[in-house]
Amino acid sequence: MWPNKQHSLGWIFVSRLIGIICILIVIVLANILTYYVSNPVYQSAVAFLNQPLNFWLLILICIILFIADIFGAFPFPLNLPSPIIKAIGSVFIIAYVLRIFEWFDSATGNNLYHYVWMLSFVIVPVVFIIVLLAGYYEIVCDLWAKAKIRDESDTVIHASANELPPASSSPKSWEDVGAELRMMLYDLIHRFREEIKKR
């Protein structure tokens, strides 16, 4: 059982890989545009993207979320690591957002990074717990829904079995078999006549 609730493992692999490639293409195009755009803020933004720490942090976030989605595609209990990996990925996302605020302060002369950095000590554990609990809640809801569907199908099957007429235990005689054959031949000839009349 490879497919998950929404998409197959192959679809997730291809779509996330395309997403990473698109991010790389955007960064390359942004670097090419620096030859045509002389705006200092734009130049600073591209320099921010080109910094090794920021670049590899962005790639690491994509890889972490990619791995989480792959685990999420497996059936229970193989999908249990997915919420933990997503929660770890959320911490790296917050770290990247902090880097963006730091760049924004250096580009505009504001002092927002200091306040956001202080709030991050509260935001990081809260976001980690929310993402973790939301992931496991989704898994539990999925298991509950599948169990409910299974119970309903079992109920329908049992009800259908109870509605069937009891099988006759006495063997059929040759007269019964002959009567059934005559009825079958009669129905066949009758249908043949009806088809001829329609034509």
Side-chain angles (χ1 to χ4, degrees):
M1 293 178 62
W2 291 94
N4 69 342
K5 303 175 288 295
Q6 299 170 344
H7 302 295
S8 66
L9 183 64
W11 188 94
I12 290 174
F13 184 85
V14 172
S15 62
R16 300 306 184 266
L17 195 60
I18 291 174
I20 294 174
I21 292 173
C22 289
I23 290 173
L24 296 176
I25 291 173
V26 168
I27 294 175
V28 171
L29 292 176
N31 278 278
I32 294 174
L33 287 175
T34 56
Y35 295 102
Y36 305 98
V37 180
S38 58
N39 186 287
V41 177
Y42 179 78
Q43 296 281 343
S44 177
V46 175
F48 170 81
L49 292 174
N50 289 335
Q51 289 180 10
L53 179 61
N54 298 329
F55 175 79
W56 289 112
L57 182 59
L58 183 61
I59 297 300
L60 181 62
I61 291 170
C62 294
I63 293 173
I64 290 173
L65 297 179
F66 174 61
I67 295 172
D69 288 335
I70 288 178
F71 272 103
F74 289 103
F76 181 84
L78 298 176
N79 59 353
L80 289 177
S82 178
I84 299 175
I85 300 173
K86 284 183 180 179
I88 295 172
S90 68
V91 174
F92 283 96
I93 291 173
I94 294 173
Y96 193 81
V97 171
L98 287 174
R99 299 283 298 174
I100 293 175
F101 274 102
E102 188 178 12
W103 164 80
F104 182 78
D105 283 356
S106 64
T108 60
N110 293 322
N111 194 24
L112 292 174
Y113 172 73
H114 176 71
Y115 300 105
V116 177
W117 183 78
M118 295 295 292
L119 284 174
S120 65
F121 290 99
V122 177
I123 294 173
V124 169
V126 170
V127 171
F128 183 89
I129 293 172
I130 289 175
V131 174
L132 188 68
L133 293 179
Y136 283 117
Y137 176 77
E138 185 180 359
I139 291 175
V140 170
C141 288
D142 183 55
L143 289 174
W144 182 79
K146 288 180 179 178
K148 186 177 180 181
I149 293 172
R150 194 182 302 114
D151 291 341
E152 289 177 354
S153 63
D154 291 342
T155 302
V156 171
I157 291 172
H158 290 316
S160 301
N162 292 331
E163 290 175 359
L164 292 175
S168 177
S169 57
S170 60
K172 291 183 178 181
S173 64
W174 284 107
E175 294 179 359
D176 295 334
V177 173
E180 289 180 2
L181 285 174
R182 285 194 298 271
M183 289 298 296
M184 184 179 68
L185 289 174
Y186 174 78
D187 290 336
L188 188 62
I189 294 171
H190 182 70
R191 289 180 185 178
F192 184 70
R193 287 178 179 175
E194 292 293 329
E195 289 293 329
I196 293 174
K197 287 180 182 180
K198 288 179 182 178
R199 294 178 184 178

